Amino acid sequence: MDNEVDVFYQELPKVELHAHLNGSVSSQTIEKLISRKPHLNIEHGMTAIGKGQRRTLDECFQVFKVIHQLVDTEEDILMVAIDVIKEFAADGVKYLELRSTPREEKTTGLTKRSYIETVIKAIQQCRSEGVDIDVRFLVAIDRRNGPEVAMETVKLAEEFMLSSDGLVLGLDLSGDPTVGHGRDLLPALQRAKNCGLKLSLHLSEVPSQLEESELLLNLPPDRIGHGTFLHPEVGGSQSVVDKVVENKIPLELCLTSNVKGQTVPCYSKHHFKYWYQMGHPSVICTDDKGVFSTDLSQEYQLAASTFGLSREDVWKISQQAIDCIFAPDNVKQQLKQKWIDLQPQVFK
Ligand code: 6MZ
């Protein structure tokens, strides 16, 4: 983590809805992975972007490739997922939707199915240890792998949605936004929607994707990741914004990720301001807390200091995130009660 975070933001109960598993691996866990695989000659600087550093988005995607080399067995995935869940819990996150792209690894026997099973096992293990966090899983489609893999992923996700006792709730579309076109993935995404999987789609993370965003918004998705270039001030369009607003589609906003990945020039120019001022549901998230050296408390504090939010405003943002989760209404009610119970302690 780069900066000292005020205790208020740590004690604030939080909801994390946009966290890629392999992007969330902390430096402590990377250390353990490196010692398991010294022959790879991977050093710390290759897996995280530190304070004041920036990379192009393309360079960020190279970092994920390095981490994927370190995480290629069921044992690695189990350790990584348990560590990540416990770190979010220690940061005051009470509800977490983790997302990850199932990978197969011929050399280690890892299959896409065992990948998902292992993430579920990690969630169950944390639950049985009494870790104070409700964790769900979104199966991710990496857009670079094309329509066939996307369809295969949807079928797997569908199976696990039915057999995981509510742990697998939906699907994420992510990956390098400059590769491929969402048009080709529509049949898979449509099928996912029809079978009851919730959809969180990365939309307009880079400029010039308005046509794709318009097309995918017709599904419509249940949440939008980033949506950096949707609004007219940055080359988006009013009709796209209207569609998002009419359908009340929440945005998952990741300040540090966008600044360090240079899709946003600085914190004060982050599109959080545009959507928040409009009163549109906007959820503060980390994206990749390991790669971008941050955590959710820090992201809330950055939003508050950049946009002049009071503690009451910040409380409201974290509370309203509950309405954007993919878990059913009874879970929302339990979380709302938790927030009520914790409020006196946070504002003491
Ligand atoms: C798009 C991203 C991303 O799935 O191996 N991912 N996709 N935009 C981003 N903004 C920076 N950050 C992460 O986690 C790593 C994968 O998540 C997606 C990419 O597909 C990346 O390979 P998992 O757990």
Side-chain angles (χ1 to χ4, degrees):
M1 206 177 67
D2 287 346
N3 298 311
E4 277 302 303
V5 176
D6 190 317
V7 68
F8 168 79
Y9 297 94
Q10 277 163 346
E11 289 191 345
L12 179 75
K14 293 172 286 293
V15 164
E16 168 65 81
L17 300 181
H18 190 126
H20 299 273
L21 178 61
N22 285 296
S24 301
V25 188
S26 64
S27 56
Q28 291 89 329
T29 307
I30 291 284
E31 193 93 53
K32 293 191 267 179
L33 291 163
I34 287 177
S35 67
R36 279 183 183 184
K37 298 181 172 73
H39 57 280
L40 291 176
N41 288 323
I42 291 173
E43 290 162 23
H44 256 118
M46 296 157 79
T47 61
I49 304 166
K51 187 176 181 172
Q53 294 183 329
R54 292 177 181 211
R55 296 280 188 279
T56 62
L57 204 54
D58 189 45
E59 285 166 335
C60 295
F61 285 101
Q62 300 305 320
V63 175
F64 298 124
K65 284 191 187 147
V66 175
I67 298 171
H68 285 161
Q69 280 183 276
L70 284 170
V71 184
D72 67 351
T73 66
E74 284 174 30
E75 208 187 349
D76 297 334
I77 294 162
L78 187 67
M79 177 178 80
V80 160
I82 289 175
D83 284 3
V84 165
I85 291 169
K86 289 184 177 173
E87 287 154 4
F88 274 115
D91 189 38
V93 174
K94 303 296 176 196
Y95 176 92
L96 162 68
E97 285 175 17
L98 262 185
R99 53 186 76 189
S100 194
T101 324
R103 269 178 295 133
E104 67 182 7
E105 209 61 63
K106 294 243 159 52
T107 49
T108 68
L110 181 70
T111 64
K112 292 186 180 181
R113 182 178 297 277
S114 68
Y115 188 106
I116 299 176
E117 282 166 352
T118 307
V119 176
I120 291 174
K121 191 170 158 192
I123 297 173
Q124 286 165 335
Q125 194 165 316
C126 289
R127 195 184 268 184
S128 70
E129 286 178 27
V131 183
D132 182 21
I133 185 169
D134 184 339
V135 187
R136 311 293 170 127
F137 185 38
L138 310 181
V139 181
I141 293 175
D142 183 341
R143 49 188 293 150
R144 76 158 55 238
N145 296 330
E148 276 154 39
V149 173
M151 187 59 91
E152 187 195 322
T153 308
V154 168
K155 288 180 185 163
L156 260 181
E158 189 178 345
E159 239 183 77
F160 280 99
M161 177 186 69
L162 297 171
S163 66
S164 64
D165 204 15
L167 292 185
V168 173
L169 292 174
L171 205 74
D172 153 66
L173 171 64
S174 54
D176 187 341
T178 62
V179 180
H181 197 291
R183 175 198 319 116
D184 305 325
L185 306 172
L186 262 180
L189 298 173
Q190 190 65 62
R191 176 178 170 137
K193 195 161 174 76
N194 293 347
C195 77
L197 284 160
K198 300 280 190 183
L199 290 186
S200 169
L201 308 182
H202 283 59
L203 291 188
S204 287
E205 190 179 357
V206 292
S208 326
Q209 285 196 314
L210 214 52
E211 186 213 335
E212 177 186 282
S213 295
E214 275 183 320
L215 197 67
L216 296 179
L217 277 170
N218 288 334
L219 281 159
D222 299 284
R223 288 200 311 255
I224 294 169
H226 303 296
T228 314
F229 294 92
L230 291 174
H231 62 290
E233 289 169 20
V234 284
S237 84
Q238 191 57 45
S239 69
V240 165
V241 170
D242 291 345
K243 217 179 254 186
V244 175
V245 172
E246 275 158 29
N247 287 299
K248 297 194 181 72
I249 311 174
L251 268 83
E252 304 154 356
L253 301 176
C254 314
L255 278 74
T256 297
S257 161
N258 297 155
V259 170
K260 287 193 171 174
Q262 298 188 69
T263 52
V264 165
C266 56
Y267 285 99
S268 60
K269 296 222 165 85
H270 195 277
H271 49 296
F272 172 86
K273 188 175 176 188
Y274 178 89
W275 294 97
Y276 179 71
Q277 277 181 347
M278 241 192 338
H280 189 77
S282 308
V283 185
I284 296 174
C285 303
T286 53
D287 206 8
D288 300 287
K289 72 174 183 61
V291 170
F292 296 114
S293 313
T294 188
D295 61 28
L296 195 53
S297 302
Q298 197 176 156
E299 294 302 299
Y300 269 82
Q301 185 166 347
L302 277 165
S305 60
T306 307
F307 301 108
L309 308 175
S310 68
R311 294 193 165 192
E312 287 70 23
D313 295 332
V314 169
W315 178 268
K316 252 196 195 157
I317 292 172
S318 92
Q319 197 173 34
Q320 286 172 351
I322 299 171
D323 287 319
C324 306
I325 69 171
F326 286 163
D329 278 346
N330 64 320
V331 178
K332 289 183 186 164
Q333 291 317 322
Q334 284 163 14
L335 289 170
K336 284 180 182 171
Q337 188 56 50
K338 197 167 236 178
W339 260 240
I340 291 171
D341 295 343
L342 289 168
Q343 192 166 21
Q345 186 186 318
V346 176
F347 283 94
K348 69 185 175 284

